[in-house]
Every structure is written in C-alpha cells, then in structure tokens.
Amino acid sequence: MLDAAQTTDVQEETLLEVNNIEVIYNHVILVLKGVSLTVPKGGITALLGGNGAGKTTTLKAVSNLLHSERGEVTKGSIKYRGTSVHESEPADLVQKGVIQVMEGRHCFEHLTVEENLLTGAYTRKDGKAAIQQDLDLVYTYFPRLKERRRSQAGYTSGGEQQMVAMGRALMSRPETILLDEPSMGLAPQLVEEIFGIVQDLNEKEGVSFLLAEQNTNVALRFAHYGYILESGRVVMDGPAAELRENPDVKEFYLGMSDDGRKSFRDVRSYRRRKRWL
Ligand SMILES: Nc1ncnc2c1ncn2[C@@H]1O[C@H](COP(=O)(O)OP(=O)(O)OP(=O)(O)O)[C@@H](O)[C@H]1O
Ligand SMILES: [Mg+2]
C-alpha cells in the first residue's frame, strides 16, 4: 500500500508540459498566443473552449502535426517527461508513449474494424502474442467493436468509428492519449458511453488523457482538471469540480446561472459581464 505522501507524489508527476507556446499558420495567422498547460500522470485533463478557440491547434502542436497544415510553433516549449519534443516526429512521440486521436475519427474505411485496430500496433516490436493480448484488451473495453470486428469500418456508426479510433490508439500501448473532440456529432447516450470508457481506461489501465472538448458539461464531469481556451489564450484553469461551480463557467459554458437558464439574448452582454476579461 502506498502511504498518502507517496500517493500524492504519484499523482503530481508531470508528463506533458506546454509552456507559453505561440502558433502561427501560413507565417501570418497568430492562433495560439501563449498557451501553457500541464498534464499529470494518471489524470484526465480537459482543454475546453468554443469553435476556433485553439484546442485542436494545441493538440497538434504537441504531437507535431502542424507542419502538414503550414502551422508552426514560433515561441515557447513543449516537454514530455522533461525532454523537449518540439522537434520530434509524430512517430517518435508514439514511441515515447503519446498518441493523438484526431478530431473527426479517421478510420481506414475499406479495412475491417479489426484490421483498423491492428494498424495501431505498427510501431510495436514485441510480437504477435502481445499484440493479440492487447486486441483482446481493447475488446473488453469496447465490446461493440468485438461484435463488429469483421465489418468494414466505413459502414459502422459514428460512435463505433470513434471507438475504432480510440481502440487503434490503445494498440500502441500509450501512456498518454491526446483525444480531440470525442463527443462530436454523437447522441448524448453515446457520449456518456465514450466518456465512461475514457474514465475506465484512466482508472484501470492508468492511461493519462488530454482531451479537447466543446462539450464543457460532459468534459468537466469526467475530467480532473480543466483549462478554458478563448481566442488562443487560456482564460481560466482549475480543478474540474471548481470550474463546474464557477459562476462564469456556469453562465457562459454550461448555459445556466444562479438566476436561471440564460437565453440567447443574454449572450450580448457576454463580454461586458465576464469577470476574467
Ligand atoms: N490550417 C490552418 N490554417 C489557418 N488557420 C487555421 C488552420 N487551422 C486552424 N486555423 C485557425 O486557427 C484557429 C483555431 O482553430 P482550432 O481548430 O485549433 O480550434 P478548435 O478550438 O479546435 O475549434 P473546434 O472546436 O471548432 O474544433 C481558428 O481560428 C482556425 O480558423
Ligand atoms: Mg478542434
């Protein structure tokens, strides 16, 4: 048994450290204006904010996927376990244990569900038996995928495709998953199911998550800590339980306030009333 002090140590071990990064697209469009965040080992960290706030850009900066979009980190540093990963290739990062599940759940549509999952093991060199074991593990977390293992991925539902994308990421045995907008376009019940699986993986397999979400309500129920991004800046951060109770967050992101539910009209007073600006 760990005593309390040791437990705290474990929880506070930092995996990812993003320090004051700036990202520019096409040499001119400044999108991130000094974003800092940390992802502790064993935690679920949420990156929240509306359309265009810079969530995806932040995740892509971490996993070095900006180049293909003519984006560039022009300031700041990104470290994983204390080592700069700024110049790594995405595949090096996978070797270090960090993998991104992209927004819009990209599957290989013409491959079966199981073939898709197996593509996630391509960086591994530990043999067929170990890979089979992990495939079985993925199926215990995603029983729906087991049922549909022989179906062509392109014909599965949006929720199943999200599960395929997450399952494929798991096949690389990651320490940290960068999960971009898992709730996108899914019915509320499926969103609950997906977040429930994230929580299970976090608790039982010890996988750490940095998840980008517009759905503040769900994300703050499952995450331990949250950062709120607006126009490329972190405007607020704190333990998820505190953010959930914060009057501004309730009003602007959860659509409720102490005087009852806000109507669309009230959005006009948004900037004036927000306490953090
Ligand atoms: N390849 C690109 N070239 C130029 N601008 C871009 C590019 N990709 C994103 N942007 C801009 O950067 C800003 C942040 O976009 P980003 O995709 O990071 O936001 P987001 O928070 O993930 O939004 P969403 O919730 O809609 O996915 C937006 O203004 C967007 O238009
Ligand atoms: Mg996005």
Side-chain angles (χ1 to χ4, degrees):
M1 267 283 279
L2 292 174
D3 64 25
Q6 277 174 320
T7 313
T8 314
D9 274 356
V10 170
Q11 282 169 352
E12 283 175 2
E13 189 183 341
T14 298
L15 291 180
L16 177 67
E17 206 175 343
V18 173
N19 188 17
N20 209 16
I21 57 165
E22 200 176 88
V23 168
I24 295 182
Y25 283 112
N26 295 317
H27 303 290
V28 285
I29 311 162
L30 178 63
V31 168
L32 296 189
K33 303 159 186 166
V35 169
S36 299
L37 59 89
T38 56
V39 175
K41 186 167 172 58
I44 301 177
T45 306
L47 191 55
L48 306 164
N51 269 128
K55 304 178 298 296
T56 298
T57 302
T58 305
L59 296 190
K60 286 187 174 170
V62 172
S63 49
N64 265 295
L65 293 170
L66 285 175
H67 295 302
S68 55
E69 308 223 9
R70 299 177 56 81
E72 202 185 346
V73 179
T74 48
K75 254 194 206 162
S77 64
I78 302 172
K79 289 182 177 169
Y80 194 75
R81 289 189 165 278
T83 306
S84 174
V85 291
H86 184 71
E87 299 297 325
S88 326
E89 295 294 316
D92 296 338
L93 220 58
V94 176
Q95 291 288 2
K96 286 193 163 71
V98 186
I99 191 152
Q100 174 156 359
V101 178
M102 309 268 273
E103 189 174 32
R105 36 184 177 266
H106 299 274
C107 294
F108 299 106
E109 295 186 359
H110 301 292
L111 300 184
T112 65
V113 165
E114 187 155 300
E115 286 163 348
N116 265 277
L117 294 176
L118 288 170
T119 62
Y122 75 101
T123 54
R124 292 176 52 171
K125 299 182 177 69
D126 51 357
K128 268 191 172 170
I131 290 172
Q132 183 58 48
Q133 204 176 353
D134 285 353
L135 191 60
D136 292 340
L137 186 76
V138 168
Y139 287 143
T140 56
Y141 284 97
F142 299 97
R144 273 171 190 251
L145 296 188
K146 187 168 190 177
E147 286 167 28
R148 311 231 41 196
R149 66 207 288 179
R150 311 225 181 277
S151 311
Q152 198 172 316
Y155 294 123
T156 59
S157 71
E160 286 160 353
Q161 287 183 21
Q162 179 64 47
M163 293 178 189
V164 169
M166 290 168 65
R168 188 174 62 204
L170 275 178
M171 291 300 293
S172 70
R173 287 189 162 247
E175 178 175 51
T176 303
I177 296 183
L178 311 174
L179 185 55
D180 199 353
E181 211 89 51
S183 78
M184 195 200 263
L186 301 183
Q189 202 183 337
L190 257 169
V191 173
E192 289 294 318
E193 189 176 333
I194 299 263
F195 272 82
I197 295 169
V198 166
Q199 189 172 43
D200 258 11
L201 288 168
N202 173 254
E203 288 173 0
K204 297 181 189 149
E205 305 297 324
V207 180
S208 306
F209 284 88
L210 174 59
L211 62 92
E213 258 302 339
Q214 281 199 27
N215 190 336
T216 311
N217 190 351
V218 177
L220 285 181
R221 269 194 291 119
F222 288 90
H224 303 118
Y225 200 91
Y227 291 85
I228 299 180
L229 268 185
E230 266 186 26
S231 311
R233 288 195 173 87
V234 175
V235 291
M236 195 187 273
D237 67 294
E242 279 173 28
L243 290 180
R244 271 202 311 266
E245 293 309 317
N246 180 292
D248 289 326
V249 175
K250 274 165 115 170
E251 183 168 351
F252 297 113
Y253 288 99
L254 303 177
M256 54 177 122
S257 74
D258 292 340
D259 0 312
R261 222 183 148 76
K262 287 280 153 194
S263 72
F264 221 79
R265 261 200 330 253
D266 299 314
V267 173
R268 260 189 306 183
S269 56
Y270 178 78
R271 297 241 161 243
R272 184 165 53 77
R273 301 196 41 186
K274 236 183 346 184
R275 266 152 276 193
W276 63 67
L277 288 179

